[in-house]
Amino acid sequence: MMSHVSAEAQIGDHRNDLSVGVNAGYIISNVGFTPKVTQQGHGGITMGLSMRYTCEKYFSTICSIAAEVNYARIGWKENILTSDDQPVINAKTGLAEAYQRDLNYIQVPIFAHLAWGKEHKGMQFFFKAGPQFGYLLGEKTVSNFNFVDRNLADRSNLTCAQDTMSVENKFDYGIAAGLGMELALPRVGHFLLEGRYYYGLGNIYGDSKRDYFARSNHSNIVIKLTYLFDIVKTK
């Protein structure tokens, strides 16, 4: 009987641990347009609050639920080129045409967080995945040419309706997943370094047959540093 109880304890070891903290990072983003818009990575910042509730250690896997509330600046940056991959020069300004849209979001990801390694002191490797929800706070256009004066004659990609369209769907949703390492220091806290990818399942513009874009979803690559400190610790 005792050996049976001991085996059960080893398989599922209950936790009731709560940690909270802050996070900050850098986002490289773009928008998947159909028809295609040629882009390069749009750089922006993200920062916010983090929470993690650890509920069980199952064999060697530490199982948690993690969530964040973040501000994020994402969007798209157009790569305006000729058919020979040269910059398109604007006739009015004499400058290579440049255009980007900054989109400021509140993002709320909710993750299943699985970790392996030293739980209380030392390094862990972790994987996390789950849904992410976002809401657009505002947007800003950064451009060095007037839309009516754009050089269409030299552009290899003529899709430019997005340049004058405000975001139609402020609510965003999709799937996020990340990999990273965590350093746990007793009485100090937890330091997490993570790479994360987000794929939007919603579109920022209408996608019906009468709309211009059939697809206009977000895609983000995030490098993030998080600090957590323990509020409740049971082990």
Side-chain angles (χ1 to χ4, degrees), residues 56-114:
E56 187 177 31
K57 184 174 183 180
Y58 188 78
F59 289 101
S60 61
T61 304
I62 304 162
C63 305
S64 307
I65 297 172
E68 299 170 355
V69 179
N70 299 322
Y71 162 81
R73 174 167 289 181
I74 59 177
W76 75 89
K77 184 176 183 180
E78 297 180 14
N79 201 15
I80 305 173
L81 300 174
T82 68
S83 58
D84 298 325
D85 291 333
Q86 298 300 310
V88 171
I89 305 301
N90 186 270
K92 292 283 187 178
T93 66
L95 301 174
E97 293 186 348
Y99 182 97
Q100 75 176 51
R101 184 79 62 87
D102 297 331
L103 304 175
N104 300 313
Y105 275 86
I106 291 294
Q107 295 179 335
V108 181
I110 302 171
F111 296 112
H113 181 110
L114 304 176

Side-chain angles (χ1 to χ4, degrees), residues 34-35 168-169 203 205-216:
T34 302
E168 297 173 5
N169 302 319
N203 293 315
Y205 296 128
D207 55 7
S208 69
K209 289 184 178 180
R210 66 178 179 273
D211 289 306
Y212 187 88
F213 290 105
R215 184 171 67 97
S216 54

Side-chain angles (χ1 to χ4, degrees), residues 8-234:
E8 285 187 343
Q10 290 177 355
I11 291 174
D13 195 357
H14 179 65
R15 300 286 191 272
N16 187 31
D17 301 341
L18 177 65
S19 302
V20 299
V22 295
N23 70 78
Y26 187 74
I27 304 179
I28 301 173
S29 60
N30 60 52
V31 175
F33 289 109
T34 302
K36 182 181 178 181
V37 174
T38 305
Q39 299 171 55
Q40 52 186 308
H42 175 287
I45 60 170
T46 179
M47 63 184 72
L49 304 175
S50 300
M51 180 277 293
R52 184 173 70 194
Y53 174 69
T54 304
C55 53
E56 187 177 31
K57 184 174 183 180
Y58 188 78
F59 289 101
S60 61
T61 304
I62 304 162
C63 305
S64 307
I65 297 172
E68 299 170 355
V69 179
N70 299 322
Y71 162 81
R73 174 167 289 181
I74 59 177
W76 75 89
K77 184 176 183 180
E78 297 180 14
N79 201 15
I80 305 173
L81 300 174
T82 68
S83 58
D84 298 325
D85 291 333
Q86 298 300 310
V88 171
I89 305 301
N90 186 270
K92 292 283 187 178
T93 66
L95 301 174
E97 293 186 348
Y99 182 97
Q100 75 176 51
R101 184 79 62 87
D102 297 331
L103 304 175
N104 300 313
Y105 275 86
I106 291 294
Q107 295 179 335
V108 181
I110 302 171
F111 296 112
H113 181 110
L114 304 176
W116 301 268
K118 302 292 185 181
E119 184 176 6
H120 304 296
K121 183 179 180 181
M123 298 294 296
Q124 290 182 19
F125 165 79
F126 66 83
F127 167 77
K128 58 172 61 172
Q132 177 175 296
F133 307 96
Y135 187 80
L136 180 69
L137 300 175
E139 57 184 310
K140 177 184 177 183
T141 294
V142 181
S143 177
N144 65 355
F145 63 94
N146 292 323
F147 182 74
V148 293
D149 298 326
R150 65 196 185 281
N151 183 353
L152 288 177
D154 294 336
R155 291 188 180 206
S156 60
N157 187 314
L158 299 180
T159 304
C160 50
Q162 72 284 348
D163 290 0
T164 58
M165 295 170 62
S166 298
V167 171
E168 297 173 5
N169 302 319
K170 291 189 174 183
F171 180 71
D172 180 55
Y173 62 96
I175 299 295
L179 292 170
M181 300 294 293
E182 174 179 342
L183 174 63
L185 298 175
R187 297 181 296 278
V188 176
H190 308 262
F191 298 89
L192 295 79
L193 179 63
E194 175 191 353
R196 184 183 302 175
Y197 179 73
Y198 169 74
Y199 183 80
L201 300 177
N203 293 315
I204 63 173
Y205 296 128
D207 55 7
S208 69
K209 289 184 178 180
R210 66 178 179 273
D211 289 306
Y212 187 88
F213 290 105
R215 184 171 67 97
S216 54
N217 65 309
H218 287 299
S219 177
N220 304 160
I221 296 173
V222 187
I223 302 297
K224 176 167 289 195
L225 181 65
T226 302
Y227 168 69
L228 298 172
F229 58 93
D230 297 322
I231 300 297
V232 178
K233 193 73 175 175
T234 57

